[in-house]
Amino acid sequence: MKLSFENIHIFAQLERETDLYKHYQLDEVKDRYDSNFIEFNSVPNLSELQAALAYLRQMHRKGGRQFLKVVFPQDQEIPYELRQFLLDHNYGIGILEMYAIKPNVFSRAPLRPEVLISFVTDETLEGYLKIHYEDALEWGESYARANREMLINDYHLQRKKQIVAVLHGEVIGAVDVIASQELVEIDNLYVLPAHQKRGVGTKLQQFVMKHFAEKTIILVADGEDTPREMYTKQGYSYIGKQYSALKTSLD
């Protein structure tokens, strides 16, 4: 099976599709960058990019969203002319990298027996929601509240498998998994800052590997952040990269 970013789940509705791009939108969390954007099927020229941004600006203004995001095709560099246009208009350029692993490759070494890993239950749901709320506050209180409601819906509608790490009765880390017939996508992996770099994230992943041992595990990581180094050390294989551009205003 040839893996690509097309295997990464997009939690949004497809609002519009043209030969050039797909427009995704999520009314459930309007401020969620990863659910409200345009994804290009091929690299646009400058006039096509400008037209797509004008359309997205109109739609986001109408829907009460205060940002613009576009995503470029996998493994395609942003041409110099487009990059300069984006930078000149206050867009930040980001890059995601996709990785995959077979569970039998991942480390099975025992880690921190005092940290207990389990699927979220009614008893641990509030702790799970609390740590994600605190993490989401970086993007504003409105987003954090909407994200909390989305996670509650995920739990009750069983849209994802939600997993927690518990230490002495306190939830200190969590991860979500999205399972399909052959793949499991790791998403939303988070450990409280006071407990990072102590094996909690690795133990959460071990739980995923154990419970989905027959599937291929995939994830995306910030190409400019340190977690990507952790994934390569853990045995994940690099699949590809994808550039995006984000502007946190409509001006």
Side-chain angles (χ1 to χ4, degrees):
M1 180 181 185
K2 184 174 175 57
L3 297 173
S4 73
F5 273 85
E6 291 185 3
N7 298 115
I8 299 299
H9 179 74
I10 298 174
F11 188 62
Q13 291 83 44
L14 180 60
E15 181 71 18
R16 183 189 187 196
E17 183 171 9
T18 72
D19 291 339
L20 181 61
Y21 62 75
K22 299 180 184 72
H23 171 210
Y24 292 99
Q25 191 164 287
L26 181 67
D27 290 335
E28 192 173 349
V29 190
K30 293 183 178 182
D31 298 332
R32 191 171 193 260
Y33 301 148
D34 292 342
S35 296
N36 298 276
F37 62 95
I38 276 178
E39 181 178 44
F40 288 106
N41 302 320
S42 58
V43 178
N45 60 38
L46 181 57
S47 63
E48 289 172 333
L49 175 63
Q50 290 171 322
L53 289 171
Y55 158 77
L56 188 61
R57 181 179 293 106
Q58 179 184 24
M59 293 297 293
H60 277 200
R61 183 171 286 121
K62 180 180 178 181
R65 296 167 175 83
Q66 298 300 315
F67 63 92
L68 298 170
K69 181 181 178 181
V70 293
V71 176
F72 294 90
Q74 178 177 332
D75 297 325
Q76 297 293 309
E77 298 291 331
I78 303 175
Y80 176 81
E81 183 181 29
L82 270 61
R83 181 179 286 269
Q84 284 305 118
F85 170 84
L86 292 166
L87 293 175
D88 289 344
H89 289 80
N90 300 315
Y91 285 82
I93 306 296
I95 180 171
L96 289 178
E97 294 180 345
M98 181 178 172
Y99 293 88
I101 193 171
K102 290 289 189 180
N104 63 342
V105 175
F106 198 83
S107 170
R108 302 282 177 170
L111 290 169
R112 300 193 63 182
E114 73 277 16
V115 177
L116 305 178
I117 312 296
S118 64
F119 291 107
V120 171
T121 64
D122 291 349
E123 288 71 31
T124 56
L125 177 60
E126 189 55 40
Y128 165 88
L129 296 171
K130 180 181 177 182
I131 67 167
H132 280 307
Y133 184 87
E134 292 173 359
D135 182 41
L137 281 174
E138 178 182 350
W139 292 276
E141 196 168 324
S142 174
Y143 170 76
R145 289 196 302 268
N147 187 65
R148 174 186 167 90
E149 292 304 311
M150 181 185 73
L151 295 176
I152 291 172
N153 290 337
D154 287 343
Y155 176 71
H156 290 297
L157 298 175
Q158 299 184 1
R159 296 188 294 204
K160 299 178 180 179
K161 298 290 187 182
Q162 296 159 310
I163 299 164
V164 288
V166 178
L167 177 63
H168 306 315
E170 177 191 4
V171 175
I172 62 169
V175 67
D176 297 339
V177 294
I178 306 163
S180 62
Q181 185 173 356
E182 298 182 48
L183 302 175
V184 164
E185 180 183 345
I186 288 178
D187 187 36
N188 223 14
L189 176 61
Y190 179 69
V191 177
L192 289 175
H195 297 277
Q196 291 176 6
K197 299 183 179 179
R198 297 183 180 181
V200 178
T202 299
K203 192 162 186 178
L204 283 163
Q205 291 176 78
Q206 284 180 333
F207 185 89
V208 175
M209 304 297 164
K210 176 183 176 181
H211 284 269
F212 300 95
E214 304 305 316
K215 298 182 184 290
T216 298
I217 312 299
I218 60 175
L219 57 80
V220 293
D222 187 334
E224 299 174 339
D225 204 353
T226 52
R228 62 188 290 269
E229 299 174 4
M230 175 185 73
Y231 295 131
T232 55
K233 289 178 181 178
Q234 290 171 336
Y236 285 86
S237 298
Y238 173 79
I239 302 300
K241 64 183 180 181
Q242 189 175 54
Y243 286 97
S244 64
L246 172 67
K247 183 177 182 178
T248 55
S249 74
L250 297 180
D251 297 334

